[in-house]
Amino acid sequence: MTTTAGDYSGSVEQAVFYQRAMGAVDTRTVEILERRRRTATVRRRGWLVKRTLILADAFALALALVFVEFVNGSVDLRLVFVAVPAWILGATIYGLYARDEVRADHTTVEDIVRAFHLITVGAWLSFCVTWLLGDPIESAELLAFWASALAIVILARSLARSWVRRQLTYLQNTVIVGGGAIGQLLARKLLQHPEYGLNLVGFVDDSPKERRADLGHLALLGPADRLPELVHLFDVERVIIAYSNDPHEKIVEMIRSLDEQNIQVDIVPRLFDLIGPSVCTHSVEGLPLLGLPPVRHSRVGFGIKRCIDIVGASVGLILAAPVFAVVALMIKRDSPGPVFFRQTRLGMNMREFTLLKFRTMTANADAALHRAFIESMSGAPSAPAENGLFKLERRNDLTKVGRWLRRRSLDELPQLINVLRGEMALVGPRPCISYETGQFAPHHYARFAVPAGITGLWQTTARAHSTFHEALDMDVAYARAWSLSLDFVVMLRTVRQLAHTTSTV
């Protein structure tokens, strides 16, 4: 979307004055407003992302053709002028340019399947067209282009999104309608994910609850009636409806009033606890329905998952053998005690097994501290510890090598042995300790319907930023929506997260 500066009704000074009157001044919001007021034309997220991705795709396809020319020496590079427009058309049809503006959590990982399909279809169409013209493309050239294009397109899109998300234009000023428990929970989650590019300005609610202590600068901006005025004043691009106490008719009228202002509206569904990745949308005479399919886990699917686990764990153990040797030596030299930490955990169907990890704490560390911590964190509402995380740090018990291992998640490597034994999977819910089930709600036991995993939905989305019950809810969401494609996405997110952790440590 492109908007002229004259469309804004308020000044930066008015916005600052209003925020100060509400109790807090958000410097990031002021920075965004000042930038937009200075420019005659404002480029927003959709405009920036789409054009950046188009350039990245064009560069990637050109580079793939150059690669094939370098390898085979027989490709006409003028094909770039045909391939690029065809790709842009196909990518538009496949929705590869339209999701970033609407879906705040969209990443290149979610593009891989569509990109794979589009490149495959494009390669076969190219072969068919050239065959019909009597000069078919050589199979070696076609395969080289297909493989190189897929790899380079995914890499180029990742780099493009990484650059885009560092731009001020990418940020969307966001207001949450509803200052109750759900609205504040949503705000906390968004604050923990700056990569979403949602700059929270504050809440709009007629009768909000007392604000949580971990919401920083966020303040109540006023009653729901003032939303249109606040949208203009703070140049809001996204409004999230989160369990407002206002009547249904008033909320519908409020949302419709935003239509003309080109505002992205998100709605937290009433039964969000039950809605997971497997939800589908259908309709009856125009009345939209959210479909929650029954939980059915295919034996064939589980069999394929097990085969993937065996191959992945075997390859991982072979490649990690030198790391095992080095880490074992480091642990032995750092502190007295065993190399491995062994603990009884609960796996699929609540079967007990012995989980293996590299020892990161002193041999005499008190195990009762963790049990007391779980009991203290299971209450509602729970607040993060002094480190801002919902995790027991135990700095005095950690060894020097243990801190290093935890920062890089290397302490989890021995669990590949558990995977090979069939006690765990590469992807699944976190294997829990038996005493933790004392804090479970009845629906949390659904997490035991799938194998426990080294990594999972919780680890790749929230990690230690979620409460104990929030982590359990994400495990249940994974168990209910399990599929091979979901495992694939989680594994790709894990690789990306490990790469990010390694680069920032």
Side-chain angles (χ1 to χ4, degrees):
M1 174 183 174
T2 303
T3 308
T4 61
D7 292 336
Y8 303 124
S9 60
S11 66
V12 178
E13 292 74 15
Q14 287 175 314
V16 172
F17 178 80
Y18 190 94
Q19 283 190 319
R20 187 173 290 114
M22 293 298 104
V25 176
D26 177 14
T27 56
R28 175 52 63 90
T29 300
V30 174
E31 182 183 2
I32 294 172
L33 294 176
E34 286 180 340
R35 166 74 177 273
R36 292 179 177 178
R37 298 301 194 270
R38 285 199 307 266
T39 58
T41 303
V42 178
R43 310 293 191 186
R44 296 195 172 182
R45 175 186 292 190
W47 184 94
L48 177 66
V49 174
K50 183 175 182 179
R51 282 151 183 79
T52 304
L53 289 178
I54 288 175
L55 290 175
D57 289 345
F59 174 78
L61 291 174
L63 195 59
L65 286 170
V66 169
F67 173 76
V68 176
E69 167 72 19
F70 177 77
V71 172
N72 297 316
S74 58
V75 174
D76 188 349
L77 293 181
R78 288 176 297 180
L79 289 174
V80 172
F81 298 102
V82 177
V84 171
W87 168 271
I88 293 174
L89 176 61
T92 302
I93 295 173
Y94 273 68
L96 287 170
Y97 298 129
R99 298 176 183 271
D100 290 78
E101 186 172 21
V102 176
R103 295 185 54 182
D105 63 340
H106 190 72
T107 65
T108 304
V109 171
E110 281 77 26
D111 288 346
I112 291 179
V113 173
R114 287 185 176 85
F116 173 85
H117 193 270
L118 178 57
I119 291 173
T120 303
V121 169
W124 278 107
L125 284 177
S126 300
F127 174 79
C128 293
V129 170
T130 54
W131 180 78
L132 290 173
L133 294 176
D135 186 20
I137 301 175
E138 295 290 335
S139 58
E141 295 176 6
L142 190 66
L143 181 61
F145 173 75
W146 175 85
S148 59
L150 179 61
I152 300 173
V153 163
I154 296 303
L155 177 60
R157 283 179 157 253
S158 297
L159 295 175
R161 282 195 172 95
S162 178
W163 177 82
V164 162
R165 287 177 176 173
R166 293 194 296 268
Q167 309 307 308
L168 195 63
T169 308
Y170 184 77
L171 298 179
Q172 290 182 321
N173 284 342
T174 303
V175 166
I176 296 178
V177 178
I182 303 303
Q184 295 191 35
L185 172 64
L186 173 64
R188 181 179 68 79
K189 290 179 177 293
L190 292 178
L191 289 175
Q192 291 166 183
H193 290 278
E195 71 274 13
Y196 291 172
L198 301 185
N199 177 59
L200 287 180
V201 181
F203 300 96
V204 170
D205 201 335
D206 294 341
S207 54
K209 286 189 175 182
E210 183 179 353
R211 191 180 67 173
R212 297 170 55 131
D214 54 354
L215 293 184
H217 65 273
L218 294 184
L220 178 68
L221 299 176
D225 292 339
R226 302 201 67 179
L227 182 59
E229 174 190 346
L230 294 170
V231 165
H232 279 288
L233 182 61
F234 293 105
D235 188 19
V236 172
E237 297 178 53
R238 185 182 293 256
V239 172
I240 305 178
I241 312 295
Y243 278 33
S244 171
N245 291 323
D246 293 319
H248 169 78
E249 294 78 8
K250 184 177 180 180
I251 294 176
V252 171
E253 182 182 350
M254 177 172 51
I255 294 175
R256 286 173 175 167
S257 70
L258 299 174
D259 289 344
E260 297 179 356
Q261 302 183 54
N262 208 354
I263 302 296
Q264 166 72 30
V265 178
D266 298 329
I267 302 174
V268 178
R270 290 285 176 183
L271 300 177
F272 72 93
D273 309 70
L274 299 176
I275 297 175
S278 61
V279 67
C280 61
T281 304
H282 54 108
S283 64
V284 176
E285 291 188 358
L287 179 66
L289 301 176
L290 293 179
L292 300 178
V295 180
R296 295 194 185 108
H297 294 151
S298 164
R299 291 185 180 181
V300 174
F302 267 13
I304 297 174
K305 178 181 176 69
R306 180 60 188 149
C307 291
I308 294 173
D309 289 338
I310 292 173
V311 173
S314 301
V315 173
L317 286 170
I318 292 172
L319 296 177
V323 178
F324 270 71
V326 172
V327 170
L329 181 62
M330 292 171 62
I331 292 174
K332 277 295 186 182
R333 295 185 62 180
D334 185 49
S335 64
V339 171
F340 294 119
F341 170 75
R342 292 176 169 84
Q343 188 176 51
T344 301
R345 298 287 184 101
L346 300 179
M348 186 176 179
N349 298 323
M350 298 186 69
R351 287 195 299 265
E352 292 187 346
F353 70 96
T354 301
L355 178 133
L356 299 175
K357 296 177 70 173
F358 282 126
R359 181 173 59 84
T360 58
M361 294 191 292
T362 57
N364 59 351
D366 187 3
L369 290 176
H370 181 264
R371 184 168 191 161
F373 178 77
I374 290 296
E375 292 175 355
S376 68
M377 296 299 290
S378 63
S382 54
E386 293 181 359
N387 55 11
L389 306 177
F390 293 89
K391 183 178 181 180
L392 182 63
E393 273 202 334
R394 304 184 68 171
R395 294 181 181 178
N396 295 332
D397 292 328
L398 283 175
T399 64
K400 182 178 179 180
V401 171
R403 292 191 187 92
W404 183 83
L405 290 173
R406 287 195 176 189
R407 282 199 301 269
R408 292 162 175 80
S409 298
L410 291 176
D411 58 318
E412 312 283 351
L413 270 181
Q415 291 172 35
L416 290 172
I417 299 173
N418 292 118
V419 175
L420 207 56
R421 290 174 178 172
E423 299 161 337
M424 293 178 61
L426 294 175
V427 181
R430 181 186 64 86
C432 70
I433 309 171
S434 58
Y435 61 74
E436 292 179 337
T437 60
Q439 311 299 330
F440 279 21
H443 70 282
H444 288 150
Y445 287 91
R447 70 193 299 280
F448 295 114
V450 294
I454 298 178
T455 185
L457 191 62
W458 164 68
Q459 293 93 325
T460 56
T461 54
R463 292 180 70 87
H465 293 286
S466 63
T467 65
F468 178 72
H469 280 159
E470 289 168 7
L472 289 175
D473 287 339
M474 279 184 271
D475 285 341
V476 172
Y478 168 84
R480 291 184 178 277
W482 175 81
S483 66
L484 292 172
S485 60
L486 179 58
D487 278 3
F488 176 70
V489 170
V490 170
M491 282 192 284
L492 288 176
R493 286 180 175 177
T494 302
V495 172
R496 185 188 63 184
Q497 193 171 81
L498 289 175
H500 175 72
T501 301
T502 303
S503 64
T504 55
V505 169

